[in-house]
């Protein structure tokens, strides 16, 4: 077992603090295709407004997504991955490969 003070354990704990929410991975997957409006994400994931709002606030606070308000009527809010968020794609690929190997 890895010591909780080991750099690897600390790093993984920090990553899980950011991405460990129920919807975080799904939201990041949605945004890998490009920026989306709040309601597009909500409809695509069939997620409640509160759950999506909470997850996006966490991802934005951690520098994974950006939030842009477009003031043209009607006012819309669009979310996009930051460089930090886009860089997580490699992790998704490895997770997918692991899943195909061990879960199918």
């Amino acid at each position: 077992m890895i010591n909780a003070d080991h750099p690897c354990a600390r790093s993984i704990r920090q990553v899980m603090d950011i991405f460990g929410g129920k919807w975080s991975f799904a939201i990041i997957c949605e945004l890998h295709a490009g920026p989306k409006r709040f309601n597009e994400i909500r409809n695509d994931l069939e997620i409640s407004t509160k759950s999506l709002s909470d997850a996006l606030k966490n991802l934005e606070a951690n520098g994974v997504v950006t939030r842009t308000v477009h003031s043209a009527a009607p006012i819309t809010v669009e979310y996009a991955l930051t460089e930090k968020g886009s860089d997580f794609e490699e992790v998704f690929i490895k997770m997918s490969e692991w899943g195909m190997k061990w879960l199918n």
Side-chain angles (χ1 to χ4, degrees), residues 1-95:
M1 175 142 179
I2 296 176
N3 179 329
D5 292 328
H6 189 277
C8 179
R10 280 195 307 268
S11 177
I12 290 172
R13 206 170 36 250
Q14 290 171 327
V15 169
M16 291 309 297
D17 286 345
I18 296 171
F19 297 107
K22 178 179 178 180
W23 292 103
S24 296
F25 285 148
I27 292 167
I28 293 169
C29 283
E30 283 292 312
L31 294 176
H32 266 288
K36 286 193 173 188
R37 293 186 321 255
F38 183 91
N39 283 330
E40 287 179 296
I41 301 167
R42 187 176 56 78
N43 291 334
D44 290 348
L45 295 178
E46 299 179 359
I47 180 177
S48 75
T49 299
K50 181 179 178 355
S51 293
L52 179 57
S53 180
D54 290 348
L56 285 167
K57 283 177 186 173
N58 176 58
L59 293 171
E60 182 182 11
N62 284 288
V64 176
V65 300
T66 58
R67 178 182 186 268
T68 305
V69 178
H70 298 281
S71 58
I75 294 175
T76 58
V77 178
E78 186 177 75
Y79 292 87
L81 291 177
T82 62
E83 181 181 356
K84 183 178 183 179
S86 293
D87 200 40
F88 203 70
E89 183 174 16
E90 293 177 37
V91 176
F92 280 118
I93 291 167
K94 290 298 183 186
M95 289 172 64

